[in-house]
Amino acid sequence: MGRILAAATLALLSASSVLAQQLGQSSECGEGKLCPSKYGQCGVGAFCLGGCDPRNSFSLDSCVPAPVCNSEDFKFRNLDSIQSNTEYLGDASKAKWVSSGQPEQFEDNVLLTLSESGMSAFGTLLASTSYVWYGKISARMKSSRGKGVVTAFILMSDVKDEIDFEWVGTDLTTAQSNFYFQGIPDFRSSTFDDYHTYEIDWSPTQLTWSVDNTVLRTLKRSETWNTTTNQYHYPQTPSRVQLSLWPAGNPKNGQGTIAWAGGLVDWNAPDVAKFGYYYSMISDINIECYPTPDGTNKTGDKAYIYNDKSGMNDSVAITDDNTVLKSLLGTGTNMDADYPKPKDDEEEPAQPSEVATVPGLTGAGPGTNGHPGNDGNDNTVGETGTAGNSGSTGSTSGGTGGFSQGLEDAQVSEASPPKERGLQSSMFAALVAVMGLLVL
C-alpha cells in the first residue's frame, strides 16, 4: 500500500538478535510471541498494535483492538502529534501518528526523509493511530524525486487490504494508483503530479482516486468479484492511513522493483548533497469517516476487532475494548504486562526483553534506544519503506532556501509495474514500522 514489500520480499527479514519466531504465509505465532509483523516475525508490544494480522496471531484476541475512525483535519505545523513506534502504546488520544525512520519539520510541513545512513537509512513512515473503515481521505503533499526513490500515500489494513497513490522519483508528472485485497494486487493505472491534493474516497460500494477534486479513476466493488474464491476482492477492512518515503532502488531489492523505481538510489543527487537526504513534504491530511457499514456487529464505539480469521468485512466488530498497553511487553490478551521494577526502589536501568517488542528492533523498548537489530552479518533488519518506525518523533530542521519540486504539464498515463513489485511496494509502506528495510 504504499509499499511495504511483498510478502515474499518481506520474508527476507532474517532473524535479528531479537528472539523473533519466523512465520510462514499460513503459519501462526506461538505462545510467548503472540503477534505477527508484516514481514513474518512474531513478538509482543508494538507487534500487537497497528499492523498485527489476526489471521496469523496466536489467537484472535492477541492483537490489540484498533482505535475507531475519528474525523479530523491535520495541519503539520509541528511534530507534536507524532510519536515514535518505540514509544507508542495504543493511546490514539495522545498521538495521532506513529513514526518510523526520521520525520523532520520544515515551515508548515512535515518532511519524510531518506538518507544513506542513520535513522532514515531505510526511509520514513507515518501511520495514523486511528483506523478508517470507509471514508474520504485527502493529503496535500509533494513527492520526492530521484532514481530509486518512491513516495506513497496509502490505506493499509491489518489483513493487507490496501488502497494507494505512489510516485516514482524519476517520473514527476505521474501518480500511480493501486489497490490490493488481502495482499493480492489487482488493477494498476497512473495519474499525475506534484504539490497537489490527492484524495481517496472509499465506500462499501465504490472507490475513487482524485487529484485536486478531479476524479481520475473509479472502481466499483461489483467489478471485483472473483469466481475462483467466490469473494469480492475489494478493500473492505479497517485501515491505517500511511505516508512514506522508501528506497525501492536499494541494491538488495529485486531487479523488477529496482527497474520500476527508475534504477538504484543515487546518493550523490542534488537533494542529498544540499540537505543530506531525499524528502517528501506533507502539509495537510484530512480524514472524513463514513458511517459504520450496515449489519456490523456493534457493542460499543471505541475499537475494531476481528471475530474470525476470514479477514472479510463481516468479521469486523466494533466494541468498547481497551486499545492501550501498559508497556511494550503487553499483548491483546495481557494488556497490563510491564517491565520488572528495580529491587528496593533502586534506580537501575531497565533491561532489554528477550522477546521482540518493536518490529525490526533488538529486544524490548528500554535498552534498545530505538536502534535497529542486526542479523549477525552486519545487515540491519527492520521495517521501513512506505512505512517506517524508529527514532524519536523527529527533530526540527530548519534549513535555508526553499524545497522545490517542479511538476510541469501533468499527464495521465497507464502503468504496468512488474508483478514482483506489486507485493513489495505496497506492503512496504505499512511494514516499515521501525528502522531498517526488510533486508531483501
Side-chain angles (χ1 to χ4, degrees):
M1 356 173 305
R3 307 289 108 287
I4 295 172
L5 319 110
T9 306
L10 307 179
L12 24 123
L13 256 192
S14 52
S16 69
S17 51
V18 300
L19 306 179
Q21 172 183 331
Q22 296 298 323
L23 259 187
Q25 188 104 20
S26 60
S27 302
E28 295 181 352
C29 291
E31 190 170 3
K33 295 186 278 275
L34 309 185
C35 304
S37 71
K38 295 290 184 182
Y39 33 79
Q41 289 182 311
C42 295
V44 298
F47 283 79
C48 302
L49 294 171
C52 178
D53 190 336
R55 299 172 302 171
N56 291 328
S57 61
F58 180 67
S59 63
L60 275 175
D61 52 359
S62 296
C63 296
V64 174
V68 296
C69 191
N70 182 36
S71 295
E72 193 163 352
D73 188 16
F74 299 95
K75 306 291 186 183
F76 288 104
R77 304 306 181 249
N78 54 55
L79 301 178
D80 293 349
S81 64
I82 302 173
Q83 190 171 40
S84 166
N85 68 329
T86 63
E87 301 173 349
Y88 178 68
L89 295 175
D91 191 343
S93 69
K94 293 183 178 179
K96 302 301 183 182
W97 301 89
V98 177
S99 70
S100 52
Q102 188 68 51
E104 299 278 0
Q105 186 72 37
F106 177 75
E107 296 181 342
D108 289 336
N109 302 276
V110 62
L111 302 184
L112 306 181
T113 65
L114 168 63
S115 58
E116 188 172 11
S117 61
M119 297 302 291
S120 63
F122 298 101
T124 298
L125 164 75
L126 292 185
S128 63
T129 55
S130 295
Y131 283 58
V132 177
W133 196 15
Y134 302 116
K136 183 184 294 184
I137 304 90
S138 63
R140 184 174 183 274
M141 59 183 288
K142 289 185 179 182
S143 71
S144 189
R145 62 181 175 183
K147 294 191 301 180
V149 177
V150 175
T151 309
F153 161 38
I154 73 172
L155 302 182
M156 172 71 79
S157 85
D158 293 346
V159 297
K160 300 182 179 66
D161 285 347
E162 181 184 342
I163 305 165
D164 63 64
F165 272 115
E166 284 186 302
W167 298 266
V168 175
T170 53
D171 184 356
L172 297 180
T173 61
T174 299
Q176 297 182 11
S177 62
N178 302 287
F179 81 94
Y180 299 74
F181 165 79
Q182 296 191 1
I184 304 168
D186 277 270
F187 311 95
R188 304 214 185 120
S189 63
S190 294
T191 34
F192 37 143
D193 68 87
D194 117 295
Y195 224 0
H196 288 274
T197 298
Y198 300 92
E199 180 181 274
I200 295 171
D201 192 344
W202 177 38
S203 77
T205 59
Q206 181 173 284
L207 177 59
T208 62
W209 291 260
S210 303
V211 175
D212 293 338
N213 297 315
T214 298
V215 174
L216 302 177
R217 177 182 175 196
T218 299
L219 172 74
K220 295 184 180 298
R221 176 177 180 268
S222 59
E223 300 169 348
T224 68
W225 181 256
N226 185 292
T227 56
T228 301
T229 63
N230 290 321
Q231 295 173 317
Y232 287 104
H233 281 201
Y234 180 80
Q236 56 194 271
T237 50
S239 302
R240 293 184 296 164
V241 179
Q242 299 187 347
L243 300 109
S244 63
L245 178 62
W246 62 285
N250 185 303
K252 293 182 179 179
N253 286 345
Q255 288 303 308
T257 299
I258 294 172
W260 165 72
L264 296 174
V265 177
D266 179 7
W267 295 112
N268 295 311
D271 288 342
V272 178
K274 185 174 182 179
F275 305 111
Y277 47 67
Y278 287 100
Y279 59 86
S280 171
M281 282 190 192
I282 313 298
S283 174
D284 306 298
I285 303 291
N286 182 270
I287 297 176
E288 177 186 344
C289 307
Y290 285 170
T292 302
D294 293 340
T296 298
N297 179 5
K298 187 174 181 180
T299 59
D301 58 10
K302 295 181 180 178
Y304 299 119
I305 65 169
Y306 286 86
N307 283 326
D308 63 51
K309 295 195 174 186
S310 68
M312 304 297 287
N313 63 331
D314 56 6
S315 69
V316 180
I318 301 179
T319 71
D320 279 333
D321 290 351
N322 182 25
T323 67
V324 184
L325 298 176
K326 187 172 183 179
S327 80
L328 285 177
L329 289 182
T331 69
T333 54
N334 187 4
M335 305 283 283
D336 293 326
D338 200 0
Y339 295 96
K341 302 296 182 184
K343 295 181 179 180
D344 301 323
D345 296 326
E346 294 179 358
E347 294 184 1
E348 299 176 358
Q351 297 300 312
S353 169
E354 292 183 353
V355 65
T357 61
V358 180
L361 299 190
T362 301
T368 65
N369 297 318
H371 295 311
N374 188 283
D375 65 3
N377 296 306
D378 295 326
N379 293 317
T380 299
V381 295
E383 57 183 335
T384 173
T386 53
N389 288 345
S390 72
S392 65
T393 56
S395 60
T396 300
S397 70
T400 57
F403 289 90
S404 110
Q405 293 167 290
L407 275 177
E408 303 174 8
D409 302 322
Q411 300 176 0
V412 176
S413 62
E414 293 297 319
S416 299
K419 293 181 180 178
E420 158 197 323
R421 166 260 164 188
L423 289 180
Q424 294 181 334
S425 121
S426 177
M427 319 245 1
F428 186 81
L431 303 184
V432 349
V434 178
M435 280 206 56
L437 231 194
L438 318 178
V439 178
L440 293 173

